[in-house]
Amino acid sequence: MIYGYDPRTGETVGSALPETDSAGVDLIVSAAVAAGAAWRATPADERAEALEAVADALTAHVDELWQLADQETALGEGRLRGEVARAAGQFRLFAQVVRDGGYLEAVIDHADPALTPPRPDVRRMNHPLTGVVAVFAASNFPFAFSVAGGDTASALAAGCAVVVKAHPGHPNTSERVAKIVRNALPYPDLLGLVQGMQAGADLVRHPRVVAAGFTGSVAGGKAIQKLIDERETPIPFYGELGSVNPVVVLPSAKVGEVASGFAASLTLGVGQFCTNPGLVFVPEDDELRKALVAAVEATGGGPMLAERIRDGYLGGLGRLGELPLLAEGKPGEGAWAVAPKVFATDLESFGERLPGIAEECFGPAAVVVTYREIAELRRVLERLEGSLTATVHGGDPDEAEEIVEVLGRKAGRLIWNGWPTGVAVCWAMHHGGPWPASTSAYTSVGATAIGRWVAPVAYQDWPEGLLPDELKDANPLGIPRRVDGRLQAG
């Protein structure tokens, strides 16, 4: 049986839930396959309306959902209400994406017999993957990266059925969210849910699963990739994994704003964000150092989401403990509570300890690295592994010229005078980065996340009557297309 636990007390909450056995996984996937066939044939406008219905359903149940999730995560009303709104917002965004049709990347090259060799009529567009997308829910976002998260929203928008492996940190929340989403969909079996570690393995191995999405640790991602590698038929794996999110503070940065912003970002959600600023490069400046210490010491900790996550954080602190402790926040309250900790070192010593010293410590911990000259930073930044984000703080953009290029190769999102925690759900967002931040060049947040769940098909000299509407000359659906090399609005 699977139980939810209250991070504040360590005691069980909610109902005991059965683990999904292999036969159950097969039934759920098979039902999703059948529903997916009908869903792919559903007109775009109707699919968009269904996504909006899911958004409305989540919003209508927010009072119930935040309280249920708080029992299993201790994240609090404000954070959880906001996360339900974010989850609903993702479904509304993808309704827009479906109606827009640009994600289909429709291209028409008419025949041209005058070319050498002559060119046939070739037309191409994206189609949804045929089968089921497996989604692994995240621990730290019970709504926005879980059952009703971005992976589910984007896959449904693409035209795929989804089966989610619930995270053990919020099993009852997952069950309730799944029921709410199913009730809003025209084909309830479009969204399946399985519980238990073995169920997750069975899901990835299932022959009707055609892709997998995951948000979690590097170790978890590698475990899923290993299962995929053992399949007879390989499938794409879209994992969003570990990240230290380096921050470079330039000499022209405003000391007070940097210190307060860093402390707030570091401790947001007890540091349990994939975009947590775990590595900060600062100039040798006594005023800045004192401001950082004061800001961190004014913070407080809190209970982490699970005992296993708390133990992982303490293990990470043990690794960082070889460095001097710069500042420590107040101890948190709760069975799995921790205190924020910030360690310090100089650039040369940091470089000597790479790569181990720069591994992610999931939680409210960071390393502050002091440097003398900006020119010295580049050689160390070059040696960092990939991250989801990289941030620069400064008042003079010219100071950043020597490091901009290298940061652009180390992260998927570059931030100026801001903080990485918080990822906007919009058309332009990219939430990914070089390994180990993610396993692919695709984003897991924003409109273009839909690209993970589609594949192109080209039609050569195909009869007009057999072409999809999206590729007919008349463009009856009014979608944007590239015709004979020229982009045309819908």
Short mmCIF file of all heavy atoms in Angstrom, two decimals, residues 201-229:
data_model
loop_
_atom_site.label_atom_id
_atom_site.label_comp_id
_atom_site.label_asym_id
_atom_site.label_seq_id
_atom_site.Cartn_x
_atom_site.Cartn_y
_atom_site.Cartn_z
N ALA A 201 8.13 1.38 -13.59
CA ALA A 201 8.99 0.56 -14.46
C ALA A 201 8.15 -0.16 -15.51
O ALA A 201 8.52 -0.22 -16.70
CB ALA A 201 9.78 -0.43 -13.63
N ASP A 202 7.02 -0.73 -15.10
CA ASP A 202 6.15 -1.42 -16.04
C ASP A 202 5.63 -0.46 -17.10
O ASP A 202 5.48 -0.83 -18.28
CB ASP A 202 4.97 -2.06 -15.31
CG ASP A 202 5.38 -3.23 -14.42
OD1 ASP A 202 6.46 -3.81 -14.67
OD2 ASP A 202 4.64 -3.55 -13.48
N LEU A 203 5.35 0.76 -16.70
CA LEU A 203 4.84 1.76 -17.64
C LEU A 203 5.87 2.07 -18.72
O LEU A 203 5.55 2.09 -19.91
CB LEU A 203 4.46 3.03 -16.87
CG LEU A 203 3.92 4.20 -17.68
CD1 LEU A 203 2.62 3.82 -18.39
CD2 LEU A 203 3.69 5.41 -16.77
N VAL A 204 7.11 2.31 -18.31
CA VAL A 204 8.16 2.63 -19.29
C VAL A 204 8.41 1.46 -20.23
O VAL A 204 8.71 1.65 -21.41
CB VAL A 204 9.45 3.02 -18.55
CG1 VAL A 204 10.62 3.15 -19.53
CG2 VAL A 204 9.26 4.33 -17.81
N ARG A 205 8.27 0.25 -19.72
CA ARG A 205 8.52 -0.94 -20.55
C ARG A 205 7.37 -1.27 -21.49
O ARG A 205 7.53 -2.05 -22.43
CB ARG A 205 8.77 -2.15 -19.65
CG ARG A 205 10.04 -2.09 -18.81
CD ARG A 205 10.28 -3.44 -18.16
NE ARG A 205 11.42 -3.45 -17.28
CZ ARG A 205 11.35 -3.49 -15.95
NH1 ARG A 205 10.16 -3.52 -15.35
NH2 ARG A 205 12.44 -3.51 -15.22
N HIS A 206 6.19 -0.70 -21.25
CA HIS A 206 5.01 -1.11 -22.01
C HIS A 206 5.20 -0.80 -23.50
O HIS A 206 5.59 0.32 -23.87
CB HIS A 206 3.77 -0.39 -21.49
CG HIS A 206 2.50 -1.07 -21.89
ND1 HIS A 206 1.99 -1.00 -23.17
CD2 HIS A 206 1.63 -1.86 -21.18
CE1 HIS A 206 0.87 -1.70 -23.23
NE2 HIS A 206 0.63 -2.22 -22.05
N PRO A 207 4.89 -1.75 -24.37
CA PRO A 207 5.14 -1.55 -25.81
C PRO A 207 4.29 -0.46 -26.44
O PRO A 207 4.64 0.05 -27.51
CB PRO A 207 4.82 -2.92 -26.42
CG PRO A 207 3.95 -3.62 -25.42
CD PRO A 207 4.42 -3.12 -24.08
N ARG A 208 3.17 -0.06 -25.82
CA ARG A 208 2.33 1.00 -26.39
C ARG A 208 2.71 2.38 -25.88
O ARG A 208 2.11 3.37 -26.29
CB ARG A 208 0.85 0.72 -26.09
CG ARG A 208 0.33 -0.59 -26.64
CD ARG A 208 0.62 -0.76 -28.14
NE ARG A 208 -0.01 0.27 -28.96
CZ ARG A 208 -1.23 0.19 -29.47
NH1 ARG A 208 -1.96 -0.90 -29.24
NH2 ARG A 208 -1.71 1.15 -30.22
N VAL A 209 3.71 2.46 -25.02
CA VAL A 209 4.24 3.76 -24.59
C VAL A 209 5.27 4.22 -25.62
O VAL A 209 6.19 3.47 -25.97
CB VAL A 209 4.86 3.66 -23.19
CG1 VAL A 209 5.69 4.91 -22.87
CG2 VAL A 209 3.76 3.48 -22.14
N VAL A 210 5.10 5.44 -26.12
CA VAL A 210 5.92 5.90 -27.24
C VAL A 210 6.87 7.04 -26.88
O VAL A 210 7.69 7.45 -27.70
CB VAL A 210 5.02 6.33 -28.42
CG1 VAL A 210 4.30 5.12 -29.00
CG2 VAL A 210 4.03 7.41 -27.98
N ALA A 211 6.77 7.56 -25.65
CA ALA A 211 7.68 8.61 -25.19
C ALA A 211 7.49 8.75 -23.69
O ALA A 211 6.46 8.34 -23.13
CB ALA A 211 7.40 9.95 -25.89
N ALA A 212 8.48 9.33 -23.02
CA ALA A 212 8.39 9.51 -21.57
C ALA A 212 8.91 10.89 -21.18
O ALA A 212 9.89 11.38 -21.74
CB ALA A 212 9.20 8.44 -20.85
N GLY A 213 8.21 11.51 -20.23
CA GLY A 213 8.62 12.79 -19.67
C GLY A 213 8.85 12.66 -18.18
O GLY A 213 8.11 11.95 -17.49
N PHE A 214 9.87 13.34 -17.68
CA PHE A 214 10.27 13.18 -16.28
C PHE A 214 10.83 14.49 -15.76
O PHE A 214 11.58 15.17 -16.45
CB PHE A 214 11.33 12.08 -16.18
CG PHE A 214 12.01 11.95 -14.83
CD1 PHE A 214 11.38 11.29 -13.79
CD2 PHE A 214 13.26 12.50 -14.61
CE1 PHE A 214 12.00 11.15 -12.55
CE2 PHE A 214 13.90 12.37 -13.39
CZ PHE A 214 13.27 11.70 -12.35
N THR A 215 10.48 14.82 -14.52
CA THR A 215 11.09 15.94 -13.81
C THR A 215 11.56 15.41 -12.47
O THR A 215 10.75 14.93 -11.67
CB THR A 215 10.10 17.09 -13.60
OG1 THR A 215 9.64 17.57 -14.86
CG2 THR A 215 10.76 18.24 -12.86
N GLY A 216 12.86 15.47 -12.22
CA GLY A 216 13.38 14.92 -10.97
C GLY A 216 14.89 14.92 -10.94
O GLY A 216 15.54 15.75 -11.58
N SER A 217 15.45 13.99 -10.21
CA SER A 217 16.89 13.95 -9.99
C SER A 217 17.63 13.32 -11.16
O SER A 217 17.04 12.61 -11.99
CB SER A 217 17.19 13.15 -8.72
OG SER A 217 16.84 11.79 -8.90
N VAL A 218 18.95 13.53 -11.19
CA VAL A 218 19.79 12.89 -12.20
C VAL A 218 19.72 11.38 -12.04
O VAL A 218 19.61 10.63 -13.02
CB VAL A 218 21.24 13.39 -12.09
CG1 VAL A 218 22.15 12.59 -13.03
CG2 VAL A 218 21.32 14.88 -12.43
N ALA A 219 19.78 10.90 -10.79
CA ALA A 219 19.72 9.46 -10.54
C ALA A 219 18.41 8.86 -11.05
O ALA A 219 18.39 7.80 -11.67
CB ALA A 219 19.90 9.17 -9.05
N GLY A 220 17.30 9.55 -10.78
CA GLY A 220 16.01 9.07 -11.26
C GLY A 220 15.93 9.06 -12.77
O GLY A 220 15.41 8.11 -13.38
N GLY A 221 16.46 10.09 -13.39
CA GLY A 221 16.46 10.16 -14.85
C GLY A 221 17.29 9.04 -15.47
O GLY A 221 16.91 8.44 -16.47
N LYS A 222 18.45 8.77 -14.86
CA LYS A 222 19.30 7.69 -15.38
C LYS A 222 18.61 6.33 -15.23
O LYS A 222 18.76 5.45 -16.10
CB LYS A 222 20.64 7.68 -14.65
CG LYS A 222 21.57 8.82 -15.06
CD LYS A 222 22.91 8.71 -14.34
CE LYS A 222 23.89 9.76 -14.83
NZ LYS A 222 25.20 9.66 -14.14
N ALA A 223 17.87 6.15 -14.16
CA ALA A 223 17.16 4.89 -13.96
C ALA A 223 16.10 4.68 -15.03
O ALA A 223 15.93 3.56 -15.55
CB ALA A 223 16.52 4.86 -12.57
N ILE A 224 15.37 5.74 -15.37
CA ILE A 224 14.37 5.63 -16.43
C ILE A 224 15.03 5.38 -17.78
O ILE A 224 14.58 4.56 -18.58
CB ILE A 224 13.49 6.89 -16.47
CG1 ILE A 224 12.68 7.00 -15.18
CG2 ILE A 224 12.57 6.88 -17.68
CD1 ILE A 224 11.91 8.29 -15.04
N GLN A 225 16.13 6.10 -18.04
CA GLN A 225 16.83 5.89 -19.31
C GLN A 225 17.33 4.46 -19.44
O GLN A 225 17.29 3.87 -20.52
CB GLN A 225 18.01 6.86 -19.41
CG GLN A 225 18.75 6.81 -20.74
CD GLN A 225 17.88 7.25 -21.90
OE1 GLN A 225 17.50 8.42 -21.99
NE2 GLN A 225 17.55 6.33 -22.80
N LYS A 226 17.77 3.86 -18.33
CA LYS A 226 18.22 2.47 -18.36
C LYS A 226 17.08 1.54 -18.75
O LYS A 226 17.27 0.60 -19.54
CB LYS A 226 18.79 2.08 -17.00
CG LYS A 226 19.39 0.68 -16.93
CD LYS A 226 20.03 0.42 -15.58
CE LYS A 226 20.73 -0.93 -15.55
NZ LYS A 226 19.77 -2.04 -15.69
N LEU A 227 15.89 1.79 -18.21
CA LEU A 227 14.73 0.98 -18.57
C LEU A 227 14.41 1.13 -20.05
O LEU A 227 14.06 0.16 -20.73
CB LEU A 227 13.53 1.39 -17.73
CG LEU A 227 13.58 1.05 -16.23
CD1 LEU A 227 12.43 1.74 -15.50
CD2 LEU A 227 13.52 -0.46 -16.01
N ILE A 228 14.52 2.35 -20.54
CA ILE A 228 14.24 2.59 -21.96
C ILE A 228 15.25 1.87 -22.84
O ILE A 228 14.90 1.28 -23.87
CB ILE A 228 14.23 4.11 -22.24
CG1 ILE A 228 13.01 4.76 -21.58
CG2 ILE A 228 14.25 4.39 -23.74
CD1 ILE A 228 12.99 6.27 -21.66
N ASP A 229 16.51 1.89 -22.42
CA ASP A 229 17.56 1.23 -23.20
C ASP A 229 17.35 -0.28 -23.29
O ASP A 229 17.85 -0.93 -24.22
CB ASP A 229 18.93 1.52 -22.59
CG ASP A 229 19.34 2.98 -22.71
OD1 ASP A 229 18.76 3.68 -23.56
OD2 ASP A 229 20.22 3.42 -21.96
#
